[in-house]
Amino acid sequence: MKITIKDIAKEAGVSIATVSLVLNEKDKHITEATRQRVKDAMKKYNYIPNAMAGSLVTRKTGIIGLILPDITNPFFPGIARGAEDRANEEGYSIIFCNTDDKIEVEEKYIESLTSKMVDGIIIAHSSNSERLSDVLERCQIPIILIDRDFDSKNVEGKVLVNNRDAAFNAITYMVEKGYRKIAYLSGSLKIKTAMDRLRGYKEALMEKNISFDEALVKYGQYRAEWGKKGIEELFQEETDFDAVFCGNDLIAIGAMKEVLRSGFRVPEDIGIMGFDDIYMSQMVEPELTTVKQPNYEMGYQAVNILIQHLREKQAGKGTEKTDHSIVMLDTEITERNSI
């Protein structure tokens, strides 16, 4: 027999309306004794309320959507873990979505999560395209950007690092270690993250009176396969370089493998530096010098901003962006043996 809210009300000796208020935590005047009778009745009949039906009343599902571009990249599970931990602290659940850096998949997930009435979406987007702007403009729930910046009216908060400064500091560090011909294996320039890192790379060279050489810069994907291919291209073109700065650690690991396979030593002949500080950066030999990003803290803070926004909205404080809407986290250089 299917147990309904009517059965719970009869068992607890209260009205159906009272059971509904207890389930939705709407009426603070209900006594603790009454609440306990309702909870005891639910436990007796193993009654699980319909969350979606309850959300029609409360306009809250307790679910957050998290859209990530590549869950196989070890950087992003750290974000997911931080988001999940903060969500669990507040009684929220998270739906994870992986886009493979494809805008059409991203669009599908945003629409799907919206239709499922999630309370908000946290997203590391795939592209700075106008198409993304249109998708976000149509979205009627709060959006929090994480890791990758983007200008949109329908964004309630951001959790980022200063990628320009991080790249500037990395190149400065490499130059001070004695390198002068530093190649750069970048990810795709379709996201602002990559553009900012390229700007930091150029400005650091300028600061150190080193001419920028377009031949030293290659653009690809944030994958180890691209790191290997990028090094192959530099060798095939007989480009003179003594170090490589990489758009992420996966690129750096692929680049290091190809450098070593080609008979060169790291760092004696060619220095290599990554970006992210994923756990694999300590597993390679030599261990990878890299720029550490606080990925766990990114996920944690993104959920925190979203929950604060939802609370303010529920309390009728409006939706104006406040100081906590944008969080800029610090990066640092993790020194190991590849530079």
Side-chain angles (χ1 to χ4, degrees):
M1 182 180 71
K2 183 178 179 180
I3 301 300
T4 67
I5 192 172
K6 183 177 179 180
D7 298 313
I8 300 302
K10 183 177 179 181
E11 176 68 25
V14 299
S15 67
I16 293 175
T18 297
V19 175
S20 179
L21 289 171
V22 171
L23 291 176
N24 296 315
E25 300 180 355
K26 295 290 286 183
D27 194 334
K28 304 300 182 182
H29 299 293
I30 295 176
T31 66
E32 188 58 38
T34 299
R35 291 181 189 280
Q36 192 58 51
R37 289 206 309 276
V38 172
K39 291 177 181 178
D40 289 344
M42 291 171 57
K43 185 175 181 180
K44 177 180 177 179
Y45 288 108
N46 195 28
Y47 176 75
I48 301 175
N50 187 319
M52 292 308 294
S55 69
L56 295 175
V57 177
T58 64
R59 297 186 180 274
K60 174 185 174 184
T61 60
I63 300 174
I64 296 169
L66 177 60
I67 301 177
L68 299 174
D70 183 8
I71 202 65
T72 64
N73 181 336
F75 174 74
F76 290 108
I79 286 180
R81 181 58 188 271
E84 186 175 40
D85 284 354
R86 182 68 184 109
N88 285 338
E89 290 174 2
E90 295 291 341
Y92 281 80
S93 299
I94 288 187
I95 296 177
F96 296 100
C97 303
N98 177 66
T99 69
D100 287 326
D101 257 328
K102 296 176 180 177
I103 182 64
E104 61 272 15
V105 177
E106 190 170 87
E107 181 175 2
K108 181 189 74 173
Y109 277 133
I110 290 174
E111 292 176 351
S112 176
L113 290 171
T114 301
S115 69
K116 288 179 171 59
M117 298 176 64
V118 298
D119 294 339
I121 294 175
I122 297 169
I123 180 172
H125 63 82
S126 63
S127 170
N128 283 337
S129 68
E130 291 184 6
R131 181 173 174 178
L132 174 62
S133 181
D134 292 339
V135 172
L136 294 184
E137 290 298 325
R138 294 199 307 269
C139 190
Q140 299 300 309
I141 58 177
I143 298 287
I144 307 295
L145 297 183
I146 190 168
D147 181 48
R148 300 175 175 185
D149 197 5
F150 185 73
D151 292 328
S152 174
K153 296 177 182 177
N154 192 26
V155 170
E156 300 299 339
K158 303 178 181 182
V159 181
L160 309 165
V161 301
N162 189 320
N163 285 285
R164 177 268 171 199
D165 285 358
F168 182 95
N169 293 337
I171 298 304
T172 300
Y173 172 85
M174 296 174 79
V175 171
E176 291 175 351
K177 286 289 185 177
Y179 299 102
R180 291 294 181 275
K181 299 174 182 178
I182 304 171
Y184 179 27
L185 298 184
S186 171
S188 169
L189 289 186
K190 67 181 182 179
I191 58 174
K192 190 173 183 295
T193 297
M195 292 188 286
D196 286 345
R197 290 177 191 173
L198 177 61
R199 183 161 63 94
Y201 166 82
K202 290 180 177 179
E203 290 178 2
L205 293 178
M206 185 183 300
E207 179 77 14
K208 293 297 184 179
N209 296 315
I210 298 175
S211 298
F212 171 71
D213 183 354
E214 187 67 51
L216 288 171
V217 181
K218 300 290 183 181
Y219 307 99
Q221 297 179 313
Y222 287 105
R223 300 179 184 273
E225 294 81 2
W226 161 237
K228 179 178 181 297
K229 186 173 184 290
I231 293 296
E232 287 177 346
E233 290 183 9
L234 289 170
F235 283 151
Q236 288 169 2
E237 295 166 6
E238 299 183 352
T239 305
D240 186 16
F241 65 99
D242 59 9
V244 188
F245 176 56
C246 300
N248 74 354
D249 287 345
L250 291 179
I251 296 173
I253 289 169
M256 183 185 295
K257 183 176 181 180
E258 184 61 21
V259 166
L260 294 172
R261 190 195 67 79
S262 300
F264 293 91
R265 300 170 299 167
V266 177
E268 292 84 358
D269 299 321
I270 297 175
I272 297 180
M273 188 165 185
F275 204 109
D276 286 345
D277 197 21
I278 61 176
Y279 72 91
M280 292 169 60
S281 62
Q282 302 178 62
M283 302 295 108
V284 294
E285 185 60 40
E287 294 183 7
L288 184 65
T289 297
T290 184
V291 177
K292 180 179 179 60
Q293 288 202 86
N295 53 348
Y296 177 92
E297 186 68 12
M298 281 183 174
Y300 192 95
Q301 289 295 337
V303 172
N304 196 52
I305 290 173
L306 177 57
I307 290 174
Q308 285 180 285
H309 171 78
L310 293 171
R311 284 175 175 167
E312 290 176 2
K313 186 176 180 181
Q314 189 175 25
K317 294 183 179 179
T319 58
E320 290 187 7
K321 296 175 179 59
T322 56
D323 290 341
H324 63 247
S325 296
I326 299 179
V327 174
M328 296 293 293
L329 299 175
D330 294 330
T331 60
E332 59 182 323
I333 293 174
T334 300
E335 299 184 76
R336 295 196 180 99
N337 306 318
S338 65
I339 291 291

